[in-house]
Amino acid sequence: MFVHTERLTVRRFSPADAEQFAAYRSDPVVARFQSWEPPLPLADAQQTVERFAQGDPKAPGWFQYAVDLDGVLIGDLGLNLHENLLQADLGFTLAAQYQGQGYASEAVHGLLQHLFVDRELHRVSAEADARNTASVRLLERVGFTREGLRPSNTWFKGEWTDDVLFGYLRDDYLSRPQPTPAPSA
């Protein structure tokens, strides 16, 4: 499965992605609002990428998509497909040097188009740490609706954090004008 946007390809992971995956997942800036602790040793990255490469994007559970810019892995999108195969939870990670250039929005928008148009999912949900304002803005920019705030809900890396909840319904996606992909650099 490949999703092509103006500048990116959202694709299945391959074993060749391990080194780049380890590099951006080892960056403390990238890991700040994520569930892992850096650094990510290359051997662990190789095992993780091999597991990702063998996953089934149409089976319930988490599937990780690689975000590729001209053959370079720049990030990943995680999708947790519910048992009913009609709902999913979305997450995203982008290497620090590629942040702030519209790549994450472009990748998320491309995957949403695939999920809502090609696969006809009913709903995609996401949540973000309220302090992660870049992720909150990204979700709003691509069309998610802010559905709630859970104050002091998650014990995360030694402190209580607020969770911002988002949702996107297929009907809303199909009725809204879609964002124009970011211009090429």
Side-chain angles (χ1 to χ4, degrees), residues 74-91:
I74 66 167
D76 54 270
L77 304 175
L79 192 77
N80 185 15
L81 188 61
H82 292 213
E83 290 290 328
N84 64 19
L85 306 180
L86 296 172
Q87 298 168 250
D89 299 308
L90 175 71

Side-chain angles (χ1 to χ4, degrees), residues 55-183:
D56 181 354
K58 294 187 179 178
W62 282 100
F63 182 82
Q64 217 70 18
Y65 294 90
V67 178
D68 182 303
L69 173 66
D70 299 326
V72 175
L73 178 70
I74 66 167
D76 54 270
L77 304 175
L79 192 77
N80 185 15
L81 188 61
H82 292 213
E83 290 290 328
N84 64 19
L85 306 180
L86 296 172
Q87 298 168 250
D89 299 308
L90 175 71
F92 43 86
T93 304
L94 202 67
Q97 66 267 35
Y98 296 99
Q99 294 178 11
Q101 300 171 56
Y103 293 123
S105 296
E106 188 174 331
V108 169
H109 179 67
L111 183 59
L112 288 172
Q113 182 172 348
H114 170 71
L115 295 172
F116 287 136
V117 175
D118 301 332
R119 292 182 48 189
E120 299 183 359
L121 264 65
H122 170 71
R123 175 184 171 82
V124 176
S125 301
E127 68 179 67
D129 185 315
R131 298 167 302 169
N132 189 349
T133 57
S135 289
V136 168
R137 285 192 313 266
L138 182 152
L139 291 165
E140 292 171 339
R141 188 169 46 253
V142 299
F144 277 83
T145 300
R146 188 184 295 226
E147 296 179 334
L149 175 70
R150 292 187 302 215
S152 197
N153 185 69
T154 302
W155 180 253
F156 185 73
K157 297 186 178 181
E159 63 184 308
W160 288 104
T161 62
D162 298 346
D163 299 329
V164 184
L165 308 176
F166 292 90
Y168 208 160
L169 296 174
R170 180 176 190 267
D171 289 345
D172 291 340
Y173 178 87
L174 296 175
S175 69
R176 292 181 184 165
Q178 296 309 309
T180 305

Side-chain angles (χ1 to χ4, degrees), residues 30-46:
V30 173
R32 171 66 182 102
F33 297 109
Q34 299 287 5
S35 62
W36 68 86
E37 291 289 341
L40 176 62
L42 183 56
D44 292 350
Q46 289 168 331

Side-chain angles (χ1 to χ4, degrees), residues 47-62:
Q47 291 176 349
T48 302
V49 164
E50 285 177 25
R51 190 177 70 250
F52 289 168
Q54 295 174 14
D56 181 354
K58 294 187 179 178
W62 282 100

